[in-house]
Structure formats: C-alpha cells, structure tokens
C-alpha cells in the first residue's frame, strides 16, 4: 500500500511554498492537502472552539485534491483526519513555510502547529521552512533534501513524541546539521500608532535576537552559516532536570 501523506501550512493553500511541496512529494505516496483559506502565521497550536468551520475543495493538482478551511493550521489537521483521510496518515508535513521557524519561533509557528498536532496523534510529522519571506521565493533548491528527509521518515519512522523542525538557509547549502533550538528573544514587539479618529492602535512586530550567537550547536548558527538545520522536537516539554530542585522546596 502506498504511504498516505497529509500536507498543510500556515501561509494558505494558495502559497507558493505548499504548492512547491506538493510538486516535490506527490509521487512518494497518496497525498491529501488541507490548508487555511488565507494566511494564519503565528497561530501556533491554536484551534477553533467557538467558530464553525467549513471545508472547500479548491482544485486538483497532479491527482492531489487540495482543500481549504476557514480555520487554523491545527483545525486543518483535525478536519482532514476526521473527514478527508481514508486511514491514518503515514506522514504529516507542514510547509514549506515562507520564513524560518528556528529557535523560539517554534512556539509561535502555525507550520509547527501542524507538525506538533500530528506528533500528538502519534503520526510521523515534519515541518519545512525556508528563510525567505517573499511570496515568490525560490523553493526549487530544497527539492532533493525534502524528498530525502521524507523518504527517510517514511522508511525509518521517528521516535514516539518526536517530530522534525527543518529550516533551510537562503544561501547555497553547505550541508545538514542536527541542531538544538537556540536561546533567543523577541524585543520591541509592540508598535503604537495614533488613528486620525483620535484613538491608539498597535501593530505586533518586533526584532529577534539570538542570545547565544557563538554557540555552534544551534539552529540559528547553522542557518547563519549556510547549513540546513534539523531540530528534533519533543511534545513532552517536562523539565526533568528541575525535579530534584523542586522536590527540595517546602510546599
């Protein structure tokens, strides 16, 4: 039986990244696509608890049906698993995202929301992102790497509770590094403006800072030095190393 691959993203079903991904992997299995009807960047693992959701078949490409929903990236996965997939997928892929999802961006990313949702369902899951925010970004250099990673995951699987966060740099790729998340922070995130009708409003923007730029084992270092960064990411975020310290507290 051919593998079943479910694809989603947070840039919307129309984005070049997801359509490039479909072209790259459609021959590796039976592919189903369910993505937001418009951009949902920054939605992380959010899902719709109070908004009715709809599914719409947008088109068929290379024998792949491409569906959209008015919900979040996680909604896309929940709906697809319930309504579109004839069986449990062998692989869930998020992406290819326009822009990186390294370091703490992992926690904000709708692309990673797709992947984490799959991982929480015990389905092998991978997120792909490119450090290029342009709508017309060139995804073609990623193809051999995407196919290689997908084929490895389909054949070998991933440990229970672990998914892959894969980020591609802009420049020619020097190779692949297995990395940890860099410690980084966002600052100057709120931009205040004044409306002509005499009220204030705010844009969420910000500037990211790598707080350990010299650490060579991080995803930020790999990307800034031309390497593809693969970060194994766990669902279990328990800080086991803090157990003994907390046990010593007088509760």
């Amino acid at each position: 039986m051919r593998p079943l691959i479910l694809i989603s993203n947070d840039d919307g079903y129309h984005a070049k990244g997801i359509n490039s991904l479909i072209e790259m992997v459609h021959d590796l299995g039976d592919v189903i696509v369910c993505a937001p009807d418009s951009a949902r960047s920054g939605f992380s693992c959010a899902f719709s608890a109070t908004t009715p959701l709809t599914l719409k078949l947008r088109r068929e490409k290379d024998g792949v049906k491409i569906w959209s929903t008015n919900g979040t990236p996680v909604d896309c996965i929940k709906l697809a698993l319930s309504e579109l997939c004839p069986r449990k997928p062998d692989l869930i892929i998020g992406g290819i995202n326009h822009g990186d999802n390294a370091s703490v961006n992992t926690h904000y990313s709708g692309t990673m929301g797709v992947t984490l949702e799959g991982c929480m369902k015990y389905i092998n899951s991978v997120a792909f992102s490119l450090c290029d925010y342009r709508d017309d970004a060139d995804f073609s250099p990623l193809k051999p790497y995407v196919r290689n990673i997908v084929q490895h995951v389909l054949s070998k699987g991933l440990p229970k509770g672990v998914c892959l966060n894969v980020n591609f740099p802009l420049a020619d790729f020097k190779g692949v590094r297995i990395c940890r998340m860099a410690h980084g922070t966002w600052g100057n995130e709120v931009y205040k403006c004044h409306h002509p009708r005499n009220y204030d409003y705010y844009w969420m923007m910000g500037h990211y800072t790598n707080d350990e730029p010299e650490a060579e084992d991080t995803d930020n270092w790999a990307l800034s030095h031309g390497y593809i960064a693969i970060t194994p990411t766990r669902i279990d975020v328990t800080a086991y190393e803090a157990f003994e310290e907390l046990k010593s507290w007088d509760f």
Side-chain angles (χ1 to χ4, degrees), residues 46-47 68 82 85 121 131 135 137 173 178 190 206 208 210 229-230:
F47 65 94
S68 75
S82 172
C85 294
K121 296 287 194 293
C131 296
D135 290 340
F173 309 140
I178 308 301
V190 179
Y208 172 79
N210 179 2
I230 300 180

Side-chain angles (χ1 to χ4, degrees), residues 100-103 106 112 126-131 145 149 164-170 173-182 216-233:
D100 83 88
N101 280 310
S103 184
T106 300
M112 281 302 295
V126 182
F128 292 110
S129 304
L130 172 65
C131 296
Y145 298 94
I149 292 168
L164 298 184
N165 182 14
V166 184
N167 287 275
F168 291 85
L170 270 176
F173 309 140
K174 294 181 180 178
V176 177
R177 303 264 306 221
I178 308 301
C179 311
R180 65 174 176 87
M181 288 173 55
E216 297 184 6
D217 61 341
T218 71
D219 48 11
N220 279 167
W221 188 95
L223 293 171
S224 65
H225 288 79
Y227 291 93
I228 299 164
I230 300 180
T231 304
T233 303

Side-chain angles (χ1 to χ4, degrees), residues 31-251:
V31 176
I32 295 173
V33 179
C34 185
D37 57 11
S38 60
R40 299 287 195 280
S41 295
F43 272 64
S44 187
C45 289
F47 65 94
S48 300
T50 59
T51 303
L53 300 176
T54 59
L55 274 172
K56 184 174 181 179
L57 180 60
R58 292 290 180 168
R59 64 181 183 276
E60 190 167 341
K61 178 179 181 181
D62 297 323
V64 178
K65 289 185 177 179
I66 299 172
W67 297 79
S68 75
T69 179
N70 58 318
T72 69
V74 167
D75 288 333
C76 292
I77 299 305
K78 292 182 182 292
L79 280 169
L81 293 177
S82 172
E83 305 299 319
L84 302 178
C85 294
R87 63 183 189 278
K88 184 177 180 178
D90 298 282
L91 176 64
I92 290 176
I93 308 177
I96 300 169
N97 191 64
H98 293 247
D100 83 88
N101 280 310
S103 184
V104 293
N105 292 343
T106 300
H107 297 292
Y108 299 113
S109 164
T111 304
M112 281 302 295
V114 166
T115 307
L116 292 168
E117 179 67 17
C119 194
M120 285 188 279
K121 296 287 194 293
Y122 306 121
I123 300 171
N124 294 319
S125 300
V126 182
F128 292 110
S129 304
L130 172 65
C131 296
D132 190 338
Y133 288 91
R134 297 176 301 167
D135 290 340
D136 64 346
D138 181 11
F139 294 93
S140 58
L142 282 60
K143 184 174 181 177
Y145 298 94
V146 168
R147 288 179 61 86
N148 190 311
I149 292 168
V150 166
Q151 288 172 312
H152 272 87
V153 173
L154 285 173
S155 64
K156 300 178 182 297
L158 291 169
K160 183 178 179 180
V162 173
C163 55
L164 298 184
N165 182 14
V166 184
N167 287 275
F168 291 85
L170 270 176
D172 293 336
F173 309 140
K174 294 181 180 178
V176 177
R177 303 264 306 221
I178 308 301
C179 311
R180 65 174 176 87
M181 288 173 55
H183 294 292
T185 49
W186 281 88
N188 300 318
E189 295 179 90
V190 179
Y191 184 72
K192 182 178 179 180
C193 305
H194 190 73
H195 196 277
R197 293 188 177 180
N198 201 31
Y199 63 86
D200 293 331
Y201 63 97
Y202 305 87
W203 285 105
M204 300 300 291
M205 301 173 71
H207 174 75
Y208 172 79
T209 300
N210 179 2
D211 294 329
E212 45 177 352
E214 303 306 317
E216 297 184 6
D217 61 341
T218 71
D219 48 11
N220 279 167
W221 188 95
L223 293 171
S224 65
H225 288 79
Y227 291 93
I228 299 164
I230 300 180
T231 304
T233 303
R234 295 183 300 183
I235 292 298
D236 183 358
V237 295
T238 305
Y240 294 99
E241 67 277 9
F243 275 28
E244 294 306 314
E245 171 67 21
L246 292 176
K247 287 177 181 178
S248 71
W249 292 9
D250 183 17
F251 289 109

